[in-house]
Amino acid sequence: MRRDLGRRIYGYLVSAAFALFLFSPILWTLSTSLKQPTEMFQWPPVIVGEPSAQHYTAIIADKDFSSALINSIVVSCSTIILTMALSIPAAFGISHLQKTAMRRLLTLVLALRAAPAMIYIIPYFLFFRQVHLVDTKIALIIVNTMFAVPLAIWYLSAFFDQVPREIEEAAMIDGASTLQTMTLISIPIAKSGIMATAILIFIGSWNEFLFALTLTRDDAKTAAVAILNFIPFEGTDWGKAAAACVLMLVPIVVFVPFVKKYVAGPTTTGSVKG
């Protein structure tokens, strides 16, 4: 009994230490965003000072950052729509037709996707400059979609694999076309996986930095890049930078719990009944 209690306490302590290690940068950023300027560099450091919203007020009033934040929302939402429009039919097809050959091709595409992003920057930049799309949201949406589609197909095909074939075959026997089977049968059953995939695509696009830094200047700059405005070579505004980082974190905090819910939630449970 004492031995089990000791193991349990040890487990809690290790888990707490690990969680503190992981979350300490986020907590420190949150603390910095709420500090008065005079509290930031005090020694010993002030962990919880007198809360102030002045940095949040300042960055919301900052037209450059607000515009970048809107750009991030537009690019991320457009990337989701375009990615899912391309990925859902492709994943459905891979799950049902030519599975072996298509999955090998998809594995190759994913392997290319794993290459360092720096490899893709020069050709993408030269191409978009040639077609006059540098510093446009369209360029970012295209690039983000190109990187998101292989991953989305990989996830979605796994969820479509879980849809009972008996239900789809019954629909086809009743006269449903392949498109009707996909839209009326498979997608509703796999909607949890589709939602989880959409959230992951949103998070990936929202956090994307390298292509946004390379392909944008002023008009299409995203929030991830705009944060650099608060960190110039001299005179870094740590309060605004921290507040901007916390605002960037909000969608992640809101959406990540849903990924667990949708992935862990029922997909085909009870679908065969009746």
Side-chain angles (χ1 to χ4, degrees):
M1 186 70 179
R2 288 183 178 177
R3 197 171 180 178
D4 290 342
L5 181 61
R7 286 179 178 176
R8 188 174 299 177
I9 293 174
Y10 175 76
Y12 284 136
L13 290 176
V14 171
S15 300
F18 188 61
L20 182 62
F21 175 74
L22 287 179
F23 288 103
S24 56
I26 297 174
L27 295 176
W28 191 261
T29 302
L30 178 62
S31 170
T32 302
S33 70
L34 295 172
K35 287 178 182 175
Q36 302 282 353
T38 54
E39 297 173 333
M40 289 185 186
F41 302 103
Q42 286 186 9
W43 189 261
V46 177
I47 297 177
V48 180
E50 184 179 345
S52 169
Q54 61 176 299
H55 303 304
Y56 290 95
T57 306
I59 61 169
I60 290 173
D62 187 320
K63 291 184 179 178
D64 190 34
F65 185 76
S66 298
S67 174
L69 204 57
I70 293 172
N71 287 341
S72 287
I73 294 171
V74 172
V75 169
S76 299
C77 292
S78 301
T79 300
I80 288 179
I81 295 171
L82 192 55
T83 299
M84 301 310 281
L86 295 172
S87 303
I88 289 176
F92 181 81
I94 288 176
S95 179
H96 292 74
L97 306 168
Q98 303 292 332
K99 294 176 66 173
T100 304
M102 293 301 292
R103 286 184 192 280
R104 286 177 181 169
L105 178 61
L106 184 59
T107 302
L108 176 63
V109 174
L110 282 172
L112 293 174
R113 169 67 178 80
M118 290 296 293
I119 291 177
Y120 300 97
I121 285 180
I122 294 176
Y124 280 154
F125 178 79
L126 294 177
F127 171 76
F128 286 120
R129 189 182 65 172
Q130 195 69 24
V131 296
H132 306 290
L133 285 179
V134 170
D135 200 19
T136 65
K137 290 187 278 295
I138 294 175
L140 279 183
I141 293 167
I142 292 173
V143 171
N144 288 346
T145 301
M146 290 175 66
F147 272 77
V149 163
L151 210 57
I153 293 175
W154 185 268
Y155 289 144
L156 292 172
S157 60
F159 287 110
F160 281 129
D161 285 345
Q162 298 178 34
V163 177
R165 291 291 181 266
E166 295 85 353
I167 300 177
E168 295 175 336
E169 290 170 0
M172 289 183 175
I173 291 172
D174 289 340
S177 64
T178 303
L179 180 61
Q180 289 174 324
T181 303
M182 182 185 75
T183 55
L184 301 178
I185 304 297
S186 301
I187 289 178
I189 293 176
K191 62 182 179 183
S192 297
I194 293 172
M195 289 298 297
T197 304
I199 291 173
L200 291 175
I201 298 304
F202 176 86
I203 292 172
S205 179
W206 181 261
N207 290 333
E208 201 288 318
F209 175 77
L210 193 57
F211 289 117
L213 179 65
T214 309
L215 297 176
T216 64
R217 297 293 179 268
D218 298 315
D219 293 339
K221 184 165 53 180
T222 60
V225 177
I227 290 176
L228 293 179
N229 293 343
F230 304 123
I231 313 175
F233 184 72
E234 291 181 349
T236 299
D237 194 330
W238 294 110
K240 287 184 180 178
C245 290
V246 172
L247 284 184
M248 285 287 294
L249 194 62
V250 170
I252 313 299
V253 174
V254 171
F255 288 130
V256 164
F258 287 98
V259 175
K260 181 181 177 183
K261 174 187 172 185
Y262 287 130
V263 170
T267 53
T268 61
T269 305
S271 299
V272 189
K273 291 182 179 178

